[in-house]
């Protein structure tokens, strides 16, 4: 379904490109040995280099280079064996050196692709333009004092990857799916923790509109959006704003805008005429970054299974539907959980329980899979109890709820509550006999050809056995007895 | 009365300390006294006599236990005030670094400290090492101990003017400077001493206030070639904290001396014969060729065709890097802050007052050549020319071992001259800049006097990381020149 905005001058198509800033998982900063842990007191993690003291020099953190290459490979991208760090010059109080070290003309990673998993099952491809490494700036705290601005340099020098997409997305939904997919990939790779609340992953959204088939029109850039939902809202707002501007006979100016999450709208931050001239030039303190093909190959050989590969495997070997497989692989932790449950068990049943009962519970309690009150091993044990007829699927739901409540393992709950399934045929027959004797009318109805009444009998028997009777057994015995009664 | 201990070369002082003729404390007190007595020359921004005494006594204690750290142990040296020194004010000759006392020690001064050298003070320099006469210092011009009797004070050259003049005036056994386009070699020539710029990457730049990162290199200023070899040995070495520091072996530079130059091929670049060169410079150059020939070397004509573009190239590349390197002096974290109503106003006030005219000029030039629309025409073009200049040298060194040129186009001029003409000032670097752009080791050796009795140097350029050959050829020049005239300041004392 194409996403189009209706206008008086015809339909409008939205063209979207994303720049994702992903913090590299690293104990130390990109060019200094200072620590990077989130939440430290202001200016507790600042080296002489990060504070740009006179005479200080950057030295590249090799771990961060490996992480960037690993990410590039995970995005099916070209790795540039020679790349260059440049200085992006501008003055700001939280940029101590007066320049940010970044990659510009020659980034470490070139073109790649990301495959999206949309809700309708379609899987469009979005192109990656490039990935480059850069250092983060510090933070200006304007709200600590009425007159002064405080500077926290803890983030100064923290290693970031900027992942730039091609303008390949055409709807807020696609942009959201892209952002989620890139987040999923970097989390599988372990190169970025993907935590958008702490700012480890944030994005700039480039939006323009046009009539389908036209050349690209002027774009605006919405800076520093820190959730998937906000990104989608910002795009929707921005696209409609631009359409309105054109349709009112006006124009869209190239500018940087901010997203106000409270109001759900974007507003001007700075327009092009105030745009900085960053005066990029190669940083003379750093030599060009030269990698060998062997180095890249070694990183490639060490790549984990990525979400697309995992999804294919779930569909091919486990027989899961594309939808279930897609849902399960989106978060690495979910996929890992699922695999633990499914190990040695029926994969489809495992998938049903994880996407059904477990997801429902996690949603209700607002918990992440890593915080699940039911461990994967316990859920597996519950499935085992169903498989070996200790309990029925219906009882299993109750056991699951009790597991959520108490955190106890399923066998203990079954014993404690006496939920063990009645497999003793004699006991079930006795129950059936009693019910048939007491309900001659219903027996007569069955014998008169009303097959449906058997459901009522099943219900009565289950009630009489507190649900512990095996439903299949009940069904078979009932049918046999009712059929037998029919015989004159 | 000057103390005879101050007349010793570094090698003589080393030998005297080793044989127990005097202590480091005696040697250091003599030099600290000389520093104090020479205040009218304005060679030091900060004198550190107490620190020097403490380190001298520590050196004597080590020596008493037979645990002297090496040839530099106990030797009084002066340090250009561009090196960050732990606990000692570091100014870069600029108002903008007011009150800046580093908590860290530059790698080069740390190496020297570890070798036992005793710092007597931080020397005057052109602001941020930008200048060729030591007249742009916020702390006032340094004066050359050499004069002609015309009553005019002479510049000691720059930017390492204080360091060069301090060695010439016997205020320290040796000193260290930095050379970006000639800032060690030109003042060495103006002050009648030896100045060595090592290969780019030989000495760590960590902790040196940066001027132009791709050119800056620390080196020794000494009274003899041997002293330069000893001092370089204590300064150099690979440093993981500087990505441009070269992971190469450090040879025993002093051991390279004494070998002579028999059979050495000495390149004479015809492009260095420029019309404006005074006759005495040309004559001295010819004399240098003769001396080396007499010592058994073979002069060979070489072509360095891109030489004429070196100076304009340098004055694009160096200011470009400087404009970015100096952005950190913004009044936010250290040094001078001149308040303003807004952040931008604070920047403007601080940098406007904190930087002198020459620094502001170069920041503006550098900003301009990096700007959108000009970057390709200036910066990119200059980088290409720089590559061609380096290629010229590489080609020349296929046939010669070392290249001989004059160091500077003139002797020391009077303070105040060339002040209104930046181009004339920049021309001082015309012979030294090409080697800087190519990252090559080069040395200035005092070789003669101009008609007014002011010293002139000859300049030798070598292959990358071949300081040994440069030192060997320099020793041959030194031996032949027998330069032993003392500056008027010492003669008069």
């Amino acid at each position: 379904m194409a996403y189009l905005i209706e206008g008086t001058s015809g339909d409008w198509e939205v063209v979207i490109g994303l720049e994702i800033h992903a913090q590299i998982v690293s104990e130390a900063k990109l060019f200094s040995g200072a620590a990077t842990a989130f939440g430290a007191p202001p200016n507790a993690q600042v080296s002489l280099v990060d504070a740009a003291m006179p005479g200080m020099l950057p030295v590249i953190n090799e771990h961060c280079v490996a992480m960037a290459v690993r990410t590039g490979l995970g995005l099916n991208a070209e790795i540039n064996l020679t790349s260059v760090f440049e200085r992006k010059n501008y003055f700001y109080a939280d940029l101590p050196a007066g320049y940010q070290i970044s990659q510009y003309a020659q980034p470490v990673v070139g073109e790649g692709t990301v495959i999206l998993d949309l809700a309708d099952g379609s899987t469009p491809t979005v192109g990656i333009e490039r990935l480059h490494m850069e250092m983060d700036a510090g933070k200006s705290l304007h709200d600590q004092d009425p007159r002064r601005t405080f500077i926290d340099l803890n983030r100064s020098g923290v290693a970031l990857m900027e992942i730039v997409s091609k303008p390949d997305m055409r709807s807020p939904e696609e942009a959201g799916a892209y952002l989620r997919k890139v987040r999923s990939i970097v989390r599988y790779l372990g190169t970025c923790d993907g935590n958008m609340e702490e700012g480890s992953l944030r994005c700039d959204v480039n939006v323009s509109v046009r009539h389908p088939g036209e050349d690209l029109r002027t774009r605006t850039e919405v800076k520093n959006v820190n959730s998937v939902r906000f990104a989608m809202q910002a795009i929707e707002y921005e696209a409609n704003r631009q359409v309105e501007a054109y349709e009112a006979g006006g124009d869209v100016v190239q500018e940087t805008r901010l997203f106000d999450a409270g109001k759900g709208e974007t507003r001007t931050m700075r327009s092009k005429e105030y745009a900085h001239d960053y005066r990029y030039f190669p940083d003379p303190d750093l030599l060009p970054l030269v990698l060998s093909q062997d180095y890249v190959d070694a990183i490639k050989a060490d790549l984990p299974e990525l979400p697309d590969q995992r999804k294919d495997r779930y569909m091919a070997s486990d027989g899961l539907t594309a939808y279930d497989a897609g849902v399960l692989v989106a978060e690495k932790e979910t996929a890992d959980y699922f695999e633990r449950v499914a190990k040695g068990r029926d994969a489809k049943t495992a998938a049903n329980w994880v996407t059904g009962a477990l997801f429902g519970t996690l949603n209700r309690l607002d918990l992440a899979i890593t915080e699940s009150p039911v461990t994967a091993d316990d859920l597996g044990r519950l499935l085992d109890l169903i498989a070996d007829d200790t309990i029925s699927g219906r009882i299993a739901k109750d056991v699951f709820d009790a597991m959520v409540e108490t955190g106890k393992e399923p066998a203990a709950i079954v014993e404690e509550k006496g939920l063990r399934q009645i497999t003793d045929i004699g006991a079930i027959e006795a129950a059936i006999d009693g019910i048939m004797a007491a309900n001659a009318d219903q027996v007569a109805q069955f014998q008169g050809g009303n097959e449906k009444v058997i459901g009522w009998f099943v219900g009565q028997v289950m009630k009489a056995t507190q649900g512990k009777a095996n439903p299949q057994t009940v069904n078979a015995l009932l049918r046999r007895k009712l059929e037998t009664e029919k015989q004159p | 009365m000057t103390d005879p201990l101050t007349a010793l070369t570094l090698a003589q002082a080393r030998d005297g300390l080793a044989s127990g003729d005097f202590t480091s404390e005696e040697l250091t007190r003599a030099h600290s006294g000389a520093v104090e007595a020479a205040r009218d020359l304005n060679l030091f921004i900060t004198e550190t006599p107490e620190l020097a005494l403490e380190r001298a006594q520590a050196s004597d204690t080590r020596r008493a236990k037979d645990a002297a750290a090496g040839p530099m142990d106990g030797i009084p040296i002066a340090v250009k005030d561009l090196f960050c020194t732990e606990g000692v004010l570091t100014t870069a000759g600029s108002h903008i670094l007011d009150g800046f006392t580093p908590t860290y020690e530059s790698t080069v001064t740390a190496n020297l400290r570890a070798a036992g050298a005793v710092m007597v003070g931080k020397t005057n320099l052109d602001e941020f090492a930008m200048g060729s006469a030591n007249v742009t210092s916020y702390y006032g011009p340094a004066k050359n101990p050499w004069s002609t009797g015309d009553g005019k004070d002479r510049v000691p050259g720059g930017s390492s003017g204080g360091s060069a003049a301090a060695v010439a005036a016997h205020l320290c056994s040796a000193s260290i400077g930095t050379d970006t386009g000639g800032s060690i070699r030109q003042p060495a020539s103006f002050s009648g001493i030896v100045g060595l710029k090592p290969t780019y990457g030989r000495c760590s730049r960590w902790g040196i206030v940066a001027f132009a990162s791709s050119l800056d290199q620390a080196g020794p200023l000494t009274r003899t070639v041997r002293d330069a070899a000893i001092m370089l040995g204590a300064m150099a070495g690979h440093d993981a904290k500087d990505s441009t520091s070269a992971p190469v072996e450090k040879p025993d530079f002093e051991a390279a001396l004494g070998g002579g130059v028999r059979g050495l091929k000495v390149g004479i670049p015809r492009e260095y014969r420029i019309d404006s060169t005074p006759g005495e410079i040309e004559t001295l150059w010819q004399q240098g060729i003769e001396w080396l020939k007499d010592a058994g070397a073979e002069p060979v004509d070489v072509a360095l065709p891109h030489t004429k573009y070196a100076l304009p190239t340098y004055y694009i590349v160096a200011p470009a890097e400087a404009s970015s390197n100096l952005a950190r002096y913004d009044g936010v974290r250290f040094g001078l802050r001149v308040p303003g109503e807004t952040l931008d106003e604070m920047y403007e006030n601080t940098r406007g007052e904190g930087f002198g005219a020459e620094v502001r000029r170069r920041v503006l030039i550098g900003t301009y050549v990096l700007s959108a629309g000009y970057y390709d025409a200036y910066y990119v073009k200059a980088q290409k020319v720089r590559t061609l200049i380096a290629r010229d040298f590489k080609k020349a060194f296929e046939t010669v071992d070392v290249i001989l040129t004059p160091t500077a186009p003139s002797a020391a001029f009077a303070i105040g001259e060339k002040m209104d003409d930046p181009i004339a000032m920049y021309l001082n670097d015309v012979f030294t800049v090409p080697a800087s752009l190519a990252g090559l080791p080069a040395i200035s050796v005092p070789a003669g006097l101009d008609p007014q009795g002011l010293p002139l140097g000859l300049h030798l350029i070598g292959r990358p990381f071949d300081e040994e050959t440069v030192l060997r050829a320099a020793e041959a020049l030194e031996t032949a020149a027998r330069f032993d005239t003392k500056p008027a300041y010492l003669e008069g004392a």
Side-chain angles (χ1 to χ4, degrees):
Chain A
M1 263 305 271
Y3 175 89
L4 294 169
I5 297 171
E6 251 177 70
T8 51
S9 61
D11 285 344
W12 294 86
E13 177 182 62
V14 191
V15 179
I16 306 153
L18 257 57
E19 292 167 24
I20 297 176
H21 300 262
Q23 180 177 337
I24 297 175
V25 171
S26 169
E27 297 284 313
K29 294 183 179 179
L30 185 53
F31 297 110
S32 81
T36 58
F38 178 78
N43 297 311
Q45 297 177 339
V46 185
S47 75
L48 295 167
V49 175
D50 307 324
M53 299 304 282
M56 292 300 99
L57 299 171
V59 175
I60 184 72
N61 177 338
E62 286 174 25
H63 166 77
C64 294
V65 175
M67 292 290 103
V69 170
R70 190 173 157 92
T71 307
L73 292 169
L75 298 170
N76 305 307
E78 242 173 282
I79 305 301
N80 296 325
L81 295 182
T82 300
S83 60
V84 174
F85 285 103
E86 304 206 24
R87 293 186 183 177
K88 178 182 181 178
N89 295 282
Y90 65 94
F91 281 95
Y92 202 61
D94 57 23
L95 187 74
Y99 56 84
Q100 178 195 29
I101 304 175
S102 180
Q103 294 188 308
Y104 185 59
Q106 293 175 262
V108 65
V109 176
E111 294 188 336
T113 51
V114 169
I115 297 167
L116 309 188
D117 305 288
L118 298 184
D120 66 1
S122 66
T123 55
T125 298
V126 172
I128 296 291
E129 179 69 36
R130 58 186 278 159
L131 175 156
H132 67 254
M133 285 179 271
E134 63 184 25
M135 52 172 270
D136 207 349
K139 220 160 89 183
S140 292
L141 309 170
H142 299 294
D143 54 359
Q144 309 284 306
D145 185 280
R147 290 193 56 251
R148 295 172 298 172
T149 294
F150 292 170
I151 306 294
D152 178 5
L153 294 180
N154 280 352
R155 287 198 66 83
S156 170
V158 162
L160 303 177
M161 298 179 279
E162 182 170 328
I163 303 166
V164 183
S165 82
K166 291 183 183 291
D168 285 354
M169 288 155 276
R170 295 288 177 272
S171 69
E173 189 206 356
E174 284 185 5
Y178 169 79
L179 193 49
R180 274 195 297 267
K181 189 59 176 278
V182 170
R183 180 173 176 274
S184 170
I185 291 170
V186 294
R187 283 165 55 80
Y188 267 73
L189 292 166
T191 55
C192 170
D193 68 20
N195 192 326
M196 297 190 80
E197 276 161 30
E198 289 178 3
S200 308
L201 195 99
R202 50 191 199 260
C203 73
D204 301 339
V205 182
N206 287 289
V207 181
S208 66
V209 296
R210 65 176 174 188
H211 291 302
E214 277 185 352
D215 286 343
L216 291 175
R217 296 197 183 201
T218 306
R219 65 185 165 84
T220 58
E221 182 178 20
V222 186
K223 281 275 184 200
N224 260 327
V225 183
N226 66 356
S227 87
V228 174
R229 192 163 56 88
F230 292 162
M232 292 168 71
Q233 282 176 5
I235 291 164
E236 196 163 358
Y237 178 88
E238 194 49 29
N240 282 292
R241 187 189 68 82
Q242 291 182 15
V243 167
E244 277 169 32
Y246 286 128
E247 301 231 311
D251 224 336
V252 170
V253 288
Q254 187 174 340
E255 62 180 359
T256 303
R257 298 176 70 86
L258 275 177
F259 179 67
D260 183 331
K263 293 188 180 143
E265 56 186 46
T266 67
R267 59 168 185 270
T268 300
M269 188 169 142
R270 58 171 182 260
S271 65
K272 199 190 173 194
E273 58 205 280
Y274 297 106
H276 292 291
D277 178 355
Y278 290 119
R279 290 170 283 123
Y280 279 99
F281 75 108
D283 191 331
D285 287 332
L286 293 161
L287 303 170
L289 181 63
V290 179
L291 310 173
S292 70
Q293 190 58 50
D294 286 351
Y295 173 85
V296 174
D297 291 345
I299 292 175
K300 193 167 196 169
D302 189 41
L303 285 184
E305 186 187 41
L306 291 170
D308 288 340
Q309 296 159 331
R310 225 169 186 182
K311 184 181 170 191
D312 289 347
R313 177 161 62 83
Y314 289 175
M315 289 165 66
S317 349
D318 299 330
L320 301 194
T321 62
Y323 180 80
D324 276 355
V327 167
L328 286 171
V329 301
E331 294 279 349
K332 183 173 182 295
E333 287 81 1
T334 307
D336 290 344
Y337 186 103
F338 160 72
E339 289 195 13
R340 215 175 157 98
V341 176
K343 194 169 184 203
R345 304 187 178 98
D346 179 56
K348 279 188 186 171
T349 311
N352 285 340
W353 274 88
V354 171
T355 58
L358 182 71
F359 278 11
T361 300
L362 295 178
N363 267 341
R364 179 167 55 81
L365 301 176
D366 194 22
L367 292 174
I369 187 113
T370 48
E371 303 163 318
S372 171
V374 176
T375 67
D377 288 343
D378 280 350
L379 181 54
R381 288 187 192 106
L382 181 66
L383 301 199
D384 291 342
L385 294 177
I386 302 169
D388 69 10
D389 283 338
T390 305
I391 53 173
S392 67
R394 206 190 69 72
I395 288 289
K397 293 265 193 318
D398 298 339
V399 176
F400 180 83
D401 289 342
M403 288 163 74
V404 172
E405 289 279 307
T406 63
K408 287 182 184 166
E409 64 166 74
I413 292 168
V414 169
E415 285 313 314
E416 209 174 275
K417 300 200 167 182
L419 297 174
R420 185 172 284 274
Q421 183 162 258
I422 299 166
T423 45
D424 176 355
I425 290 174
I428 298 172
E429 276 180 334
I432 291 172
D433 292 344
I435 289 161
M436 281 173 64
N439 298 283
D441 283 1
Q442 279 77 4
V443 174
Q445 277 177 34
F446 182 84
Q447 286 163 349
N450 183 1
E451 285 274 330
K452 282 183 192 156
V453 80
I454 196 157
W456 180 85
F457 276 106
V458 172
Q460 291 303 305
V461 176
M462 294 310 281
K463 198 169 161 190
T465 58
Q466 287 115 46
K468 289 182 288 184
N470 180 310
Q472 280 87 46
T473 312
V474 171
N475 230 313
L477 287 174
L478 256 175
R479 195 166 282 279
R480 202 175 69 215
K481 281 188 178 288
L482 288 167
E483 299 280 345
T484 312
E485 284 286 320
K486 239 162 99 176
Q487 305 302 321
Chain B
M1 265 308 286
T2 53
D3 191 310
L5 286 179
T6 62
L8 301 175
T9 66
L10 192 164
Q12 289 165 343
R14 168 192 64 180
D15 297 344
L17 286 168
S19 54
D21 297 347
F22 44 83
T23 63
S24 173
E25 182 173 340
E26 287 165 341
L27 190 64
T28 300
R29 281 187 191 279
H31 283 98
S32 288
V35 168
E36 196 183 329
R39 279 184 186 159
D40 58 323
L41 294 178
N42 196 30
L43 303 185
F44 284 80
I45 292 172
T46 305
E47 296 170 11
T48 55
E50 294 86 4
L51 191 71
L53 193 59
E54 203 177 286
R55 289 182 188 167
Q57 286 163 346
S59 170
D60 288 333
T61 307
R62 277 194 297 277
R63 199 172 291 280
K65 291 185 199 154
D66 253 350
M72 292 299 298
D73 207 335
I75 303 287
I77 62 163
V79 171
K80 186 180 188 180
D81 203 15
L82 199 65
F83 292 83
C84 290
T85 43
E86 187 183 359
V88 177
L89 182 72
T90 298
T91 69
S94 181
H95 186 28
I96 209 159
L97 274 166
D98 272 7
F100 173 61
T101 303
T103 56
Y104 50 93
E105 184 84 36
S106 81
T107 299
V108 164
T109 51
N111 288 348
L112 286 165
R113 257 176 88 172
V118 173
M119 181 175 78
V120 297
K122 308 282 300 282
T123 57
N124 205 344
L125 70 160
D126 280 301
E127 186 180 4
F128 282 103
M130 296 178 188
S132 308
N134 210 135
V135 292
T136 69
S137 170
Y138 175 69
Y139 296 89
K143 295 175 191 169
N144 198 326
W146 291 84
S147 51
T148 63
D150 62 2
K152 289 182 192 162
D153 285 323
R154 302 276 156 188
V155 302
S159 65
S160 309
S163 280
V167 171
H170 293 188
L171 310 185
C172 51
S173 301
S175 68
I176 56 172
T178 59
D179 189 314
T180 305
S183 280
I184 287 175
R185 293 161 287 161
Q186 185 256 17
S189 178
F190 278 22
S191 304
I193 62 161
V194 173
L196 170 63
K197 181 196 92 75
T199 311
Y200 182 79
R202 177 67 90 181
C203 294
S204 169
R205 293 186 297 111
W206 194 89
I208 301 173
V209 173
F211 161 17
S213 310
S214 73
L215 296 156
D216 295 345
Q217 184 59 207
L221 294 122
T222 56
R223 294 209 278 278
T224 68
V225 173
R226 179 168 299 275
D227 289 1
I230 297 168
M231 186 91 156
L232 179 61
M235 297 168 69
H238 177 240
D239 179 8
K241 290 187 289 186
D242 174 2
S243 309
T244 63
S245 153
V248 293
E249 285 290 302
K250 183 173 69 174
D252 180 344
F253 297 109
E254 195 183 4
L257 299 177
V261 292
R262 188 155 302 281
L264 200 75
K265 291 202 168 86
V266 181
I268 311 300
R270 59 182 86 101
E271 291 82 3
Y272 280 58
R273 291 205 168 83
I274 51 175
D275 295 341
S276 55
T277 312
E280 66 264 24
I281 303 283
E282 180 67 31
T283 307
L284 184 71
W285 191 13
Q286 286 308 316
Q287 180 64 69
I289 297 169
E290 291 306 316
W291 283 331
L292 289 175
K293 214 156 118 185
D294 292 346
E298 182 195 336
V300 179
D301 276 339
V302 291
L304 299 171
H306 296 92
T307 298
K308 62 172 176 282
Y309 304 117
L311 206 58
T313 299
Y314 174 84
Y315 277 99
I316 289 169
V317 173
E321 294 181 11
S323 71
S324 175
N325 282 336
L326 268 57
R328 67 187 57 198
Y329 307 103
D330 58 5
V332 174
R333 284 147 297 129
F334 49 78
L336 181 74
R337 176 189 291 187
V338 183
E341 282 305 306
T342 63
L343 179 65
D344 284 346
E345 211 180 291
M346 189 278 280
Y347 286 152
E348 287 164 12
N349 294 347
T350 301
R351 291 168 64 85
E353 272 189 43
F355 290 142
E358 183 60 28
V359 171
R360 289 202 303 271
R361 172 166 26 243
R362 296 200 197 189
V363 168
L364 286 171
I365 291 170
T367 304
Y368 181 83
V369 300
L370 290 176
S371 295
Y374 300 98
Y375 180 76
D376 289 335
Y378 291 98
Y379 184 79
V380 172
K381 182 68 75 67
Q383 289 296 357
K384 286 180 182 161
V385 177
R386 185 176 184 179
T387 305
L388 294 175
I389 289 167
R391 201 176 290 163
D392 283 355
F393 277 109
K394 197 166 192 300
K395 191 136 180 289
F397 282 121
E398 285 169 11
T399 51
V400 300
D401 302 300
V402 71
I403 290 169
L404 178 71
T405 79
T407 305
S410 76
F413 43 88
I415 291 174
E417 279 178 34
K418 309 192 188 198
M419 288 291 284
D420 52 352
D421 185 355
I423 301 290
M425 193 66 98
Y426 295 170
L427 276 169
N428 268 289
D429 303 326
V430 67
F431 297 131
T432 48
V433 150
S436 296
L437 289 169
L440 302 172
I443 196 167
S444 178
V445 182
L449 297 172
D450 81 343
Q452 302 183 84
L454 293 171
L456 294 169
L458 283 173
H459 184 223
L460 288 157
I461 306 166
R463 295 190 182 97
F465 299 103
D466 188 15
E467 284 85 356
E468 290 159 285
T469 303
V470 171
L471 286 163
R472 209 146 49 85
E475 188 187 33
L477 281 181
E478 181 181 52
T479 306
R482 272 188 246 126
F483 183 87
D484 55 6
T485 317
K486 294 280 169 286
Y489 174 81
L490 286 175
E491 298 292 348

